[in-house]
Amino acid sequence: MNTISIIFWIFIFLYIGIASLLAKYIKNSNDFYVMSNRGTTLLITGTLLASFLSSSTFMGIAGIVYENGPPIFLLVFTSWIGVVLAALYTGRQLRASGCKTMPDFLEYRFGSSVRIIGTIIMLVGLIGYGLIQLMGAGVVLTSITGLSYELMIILFIGVLLIFGALGGMWAVIVTDTVMCITFIIATFYIAPAGIIESGGLTAITETLYRENPLYFSSGGAVLQAPIGWSVGQFALWALFMAAAPWLATRVLPAKNDFVVMKSAIWSILLATMMVTILYLGVFAVRVLNPAIDPPDGVLIWMAQTLVNPVVGGIGIAGIMAAILSTTSTIFIFAGFALSRDLYERMSKRELSDKEKIGAARISQAIIAALMLVIALMQPVSIYWIGAWAGALFAVSWLPVLVAGFHWKKANKYGIISSMIGGTISYILLYQMVERWGTFTLPYGIDPVIPAVIISCALLYVVSITGKTEQSYIENYEKMKAVSLNEETLNQFEGKRSALVKDYKSTRNLAIFSSIIAFIFFGYFIIEVALKV
């Protein structure tokens, strides 16, 4: 076993050990679902960042950037906007409503039938997005161990069950934060090594530009996608992340709103800086090795070739950490969907905390078995599965959440029409445009855009032509009567100095991060503009 493999396995067993130790904090179902709202700024930042950076970031999109050039995703990889919306908009609205899951909110506003439909669609999207993490894990593990893809997938599933089933949300959030250390190293050390080894920014902006000017187009050298495609990807990732359950509900365990806001600032600052450096480094590697196959493994090649084996091992552990963190989150929320949002609600009796936790653990095992079977079939590429699964949340969940938060007249018939109609319209449009070639959309726009429009139109038309039940109107008015920050203000009642201190620290962090972002991105913009 080489040094990289040893370092990698050390970190994997470290994560398992931490998750196992944290199981002692699970005293009741509230601990299991939202860690009893004890999440600090460090922990919520870590889990937001870890959920944002996944196998799509380090493998699927990295491979597309390697083949096409950095602008293709430096321009349209806008999921960080969705993360901001998920934390500060969707998540805070759910917190104020006292919800532990997103389907909780659907039932409160629109009834149990909407909850069931929403949960089923959520499960399909979660399983789809979870698949890309499993496939990415199989690629990484196979490349460093030499063992078969199938065996690695099975081992990875076992690790995931240890995470979610034993420690619940405690294990996921704490290990997410620990994992951040490894993929920060992967980004801020290994990616710059690729830039330096290839000749710096000059190699990217001069050498590769002469080779193919399309490397610096928004459509990419290989894809050569029209501008509508870029706009569609912009919309897809921003809207998808805003409604992604594993992000929106990430803020539910936070102590208060100040923790949510500080965590959002830190995670977005770090994430956007990391993505920029990562994709510039990935693309610079084309100078060193233009024949990496499959391109999804470009960062693995960098970790194995460009840096010290110890650092390379940490870097590969970082890639795996990003995959593991996102997958463990998806597993736990898919388990919650089966247990809390379906089984508990359909049960004819009140379940004890012990029974609720047991049901959640069994549900995670069921999800694991299902995803294992599909992952072993190795369907299409990592990025495209992620985009397809993400689109389901953009077209079926986001319009419904916005209407639920802000429109009193939205009723269950409009919501059901929107969720089902939006999902079906996207699937049909995607198949006809991308797979069957039946027709093309104007300017090459992504099918997600017309599907979102259809979803919103159905919601509005059906809602205004139907009757909204009085009980759900009353629930809406109760929800609107509660201030988003009421919970936080109650925590600081009689502690004005502490409230002012937290307010000032949040404001100062926002100013500091804005200055750092201006300097960081300004430098790269100027450097690239002067050299191209």
Side-chain angles (χ1 to χ4, degrees), residues 68-72 75 213-221 224-225:
N68 289 274
I72 192 168
L75 289 175
L214 289 178
Y215 283 141
F216 293 87
S217 67
S218 64
Q224 297 186 30

Side-chain angles (χ1 to χ4, degrees), residues 90 94 97-123 126 243-246 248-249 252 333-343 345 393 397 400-401 405 415 419:
T90 311
L94 294 174
S97 303
C99 301
K100 290 184 174 65
T101 65
M102 283 166 57
D104 276 350
F105 176 76
L106 290 187
E107 181 166 331
Y108 178 75
R109 279 287 283 119
F110 306 112
S112 58
S113 58
V114 176
R115 181 192 193 109
I116 292 171
I117 293 170
T119 300
I120 292 171
I121 293 173
M122 175 186 286
L123 280 170
L126 286 171
W246 60 93
T249 52
L252 299 184
F333 279 111
F336 289 174
L338 272 183
S339 59
R340 179 180 172 81
D341 298 318
L342 289 181
Y343 176 71
R345 291 299 183 273
F393 292 107
W397 267 91
V400 166
L401 288 171
F405 294 149
I415 296 299
M419 297 191 94

Side-chain angles (χ1 to χ4, degrees), residues 389-413:
L392 291 183
F393 292 107
V395 301
S396 64
W397 267 91
L398 188 60
V400 166
L401 288 171
V402 173
F405 294 149
H406 302 293
W407 192 28
K408 180 167 63 175
K409 294 184 178 180
N411 59 41
K412 66 179 181 181
Y413 305 107

Side-chain angles (χ1 to χ4, degrees), residues 21 58 84 100 104 122 145 157 204 217 283 286 291 322 329 365 379 381 406 410 435 485 499 511-512:
L21 289 173
F58 286 104
V84 173
K100 290 184 174 65
D104 276 350
M122 175 186 286
T145 64
I157 287 284
I204 300 175
S217 67
F283 185 58
R286 283 202 70 87
T329 303
S381 75
H406 302 293
R435 296 298 179 193
N485 56 17
L499 175 63
I511 295 171
F512 167 77

Side-chain angles (χ1 to χ4, degrees), residues 144-157:
I144 68 169
T145 64
L147 299 175
S148 70
Y149 171 88
E150 291 76 14
L151 178 59
M152 291 299 95
I153 291 291
I154 294 170
L155 290 175
F156 193 74
I157 287 284

